[in-house]
Amino acid sequence: MEPLFGVVLALIVAAASPANDSCTCATNKWAVCAQDGPGNCTCRLAGSDHPVDCSTLTSKCFLMKAEMMPLKEEPLWRPPQGVLDSDGIYKPDCEDSGAFKARQCNQSSSCWCVNSAGVRRTEKGGRSLSCSELVRTRWIYIELTHKRRSNPFHAPDMTEALRQLFESRYKLHPKYIAAIRYEPPLIQIRLHQHKKPSWDVDIADVAYYFEKDVNNDSVFHSNSKLTVSVNGDTLAIDKLWIYYVDEKPPEFCMRQLAAGISAVVTVVLLTAGIGVAVLLILRWLRTRTYKKFECKEMRE
């Protein structure tokens, strides 16, 4: 009887194990998943009650929010105020759809306006700061360099490899990949998305996933290191830059431009003033020398 019971128990465990193993979110390692029925796995965002669609990318706003949640298994709790003033990582306010709220604030009553990629586009102000709309990021320029090699990659092979990467790994429709340019060792990828249909991923989410992959902090559940093969050769990414271009220019650009123009005008005025002063001094010295020479001739 006991051997038969052991066999039955082993079969139950074997049947249950695949179900438990499959109850994970492939596109979000921060999602908390639970088996709530035979073959039914529900995943929710860590630290909130938002359901996660694991068949596509999670919004950047939800990812940043989950990333700022202290993990239970960490022996030390990371205080939120440690990164409040960082423009790169902060705990954002998100809409139920996963979009960033136009105004973001921290616990020190400092607020600012962001674009649809969550990037600050105004100077920081107080709680009275008003952000009338969430300005969409229409263009994203990704620049990266690879480690130098004796033979550069073939440009068409590089283009094809990166297109396949963005289409297969990040679920990005090829129509949003505007251009890929390769001038060894620099690679430029231009993404364009004027409007995002509900069934397509956002280019801002794609850029965030890609950035995390390059920095060896993948959001995917497998957490595997990103490997890109170009015609059989591994692409070793060295450096990465991401630029965001909105439908409307950032509101602090004019202030920076005005400050730059003021600095240029100041330099020009100082240079002109110094030049005039030098000319006056030279004229005075020349006049003084002439008068001395004239007085000497009169004495003679």
Side-chain angles (χ1 to χ4, degrees):
M1 186 66 181
E2 289 184 0
L4 179 60
F5 176 77
V7 171
V8 172
L9 180 61
L11 290 174
I12 293 175
V13 171
S17 296
N20 291 332
D21 292 340
S22 63
C23 192
T24 57
C25 187
T27 58
N28 190 339
K29 67 180 180 182
W30 290 306
V32 178
C33 303
Q35 197 88 28
D36 54 5
N40 189 19
C41 180
T42 301
C43 297
R44 298 188 178 276
L45 188 70
S48 73
D49 213 20
H50 290 287
V52 178
D53 183 359
C54 298
S55 65
T56 186
L57 305 188
T58 306
S59 74
K60 180 181 176 180
C61 190
F62 282 164
L63 288 177
M64 289 176 61
K65 192 170 185 177
E67 191 174 1
M68 290 300 297
M69 293 298 298
L71 301 178
K72 293 181 179 179
E73 59 268 19
E74 289 180 346
L76 296 177
W77 179 66
R78 180 176 57 186
Q81 63 269 23
V83 290
L84 284 177
D85 291 331
S86 172
D87 286 336
I89 297 178
Y90 59 92
K91 187 176 181 179
D93 291 326
C94 309
E95 303 285 0
D96 290 338
S97 62
F100 286 92
K101 289 187 176 180
R103 192 185 76 160
Q104 299 290 330
C105 300
N106 58 27
Q107 294 179 0
S108 63
S109 299
S110 178
C111 299
W112 60 94
C113 301
V114 300
N115 57 21
S116 61
V119 179
R120 183 165 64 91
R121 51 176 282 108
T122 66
E123 302 290 349
K124 291 184 177 180
R127 292 281 178 179
S128 60
L129 178 67
S130 176
C131 304
S132 59
E133 61 176 330
L134 182 68
V135 179
R136 175 151 187 82
T137 297
R138 179 186 297 183
W139 292 90
I140 293 183
Y141 292 80
I142 301 175
E143 290 188 356
L144 53 127
T145 59
H146 63 73
K147 294 181 180 179
R148 294 191 176 274
R149 39 185 286 139
S150 56
N151 295 321
F153 294 101
H154 193 42
D157 293 338
M158 174 70 73
T159 300
E160 181 61 24
L162 290 175
R163 283 188 182 276
Q164 288 292 330
L165 172 71
F166 279 82
E167 290 177 31
S168 60
R169 186 173 177 88
Y170 307 113
K171 319 297 183 185
L172 184 65
H173 195 285
K175 66 181 179 181
Y176 299 127
I177 305 175
I180 298 176
R181 187 176 179 182
Y182 176 49
E183 293 182 1
L186 178 65
I187 305 168
Q188 294 179 325
I189 305 170
R190 187 171 59 185
L191 306 180
H192 177 242
Q193 190 178 52
H194 177 58
K195 292 182 179 180
K196 189 196 82 66
S198 58
W199 55 85
D200 282 334
V201 298
D202 195 302
I203 57 174
D205 301 337
V206 171
Y208 192 67
Y209 268 79
F210 182 65
E211 181 181 11
K212 300 291 282 185
D213 274 341
V214 171
N215 293 331
N216 294 327
D217 186 21
S218 179
V219 180
F220 292 101
H221 187 268
S222 62
N223 205 21
S224 58
K225 185 177 180 180
L226 176 67
T227 55
V228 183
S229 178
V230 181
N231 198 21
D233 293 331
T234 301
L235 174 65
I237 299 175
D238 190 20
K239 296 180 180 179
L240 172 71
W241 302 269
I242 300 179
Y243 303 93
Y244 302 88
V245 182
D246 300 340
E247 291 180 339
K248 297 180 180 180
E251 295 180 17
F252 48 67
C253 281
M254 294 307 297
R255 297 184 187 179
Q256 293 177 347
L257 181 60
I261 293 175
S262 299
V264 171
V265 170
T266 302
V267 171
V268 171
L269 291 176
L270 285 174
T271 304
I274 294 173
V276 171
V278 170
L279 289 175
L280 291 175
I281 293 173
L282 291 175
R283 183 178 179 182
W284 177 76
L285 291 174
R286 187 182 304 169
T287 304
R288 184 180 179 187
T289 303
Y290 174 76
K291 287 182 177 180
K292 286 184 177 180
F293 180 75
E294 187 179 35
C295 291
K296 183 177 180 181
E297 284 186 341
M298 290 180 64
R299 285 197 300 269
E300 290 178 352

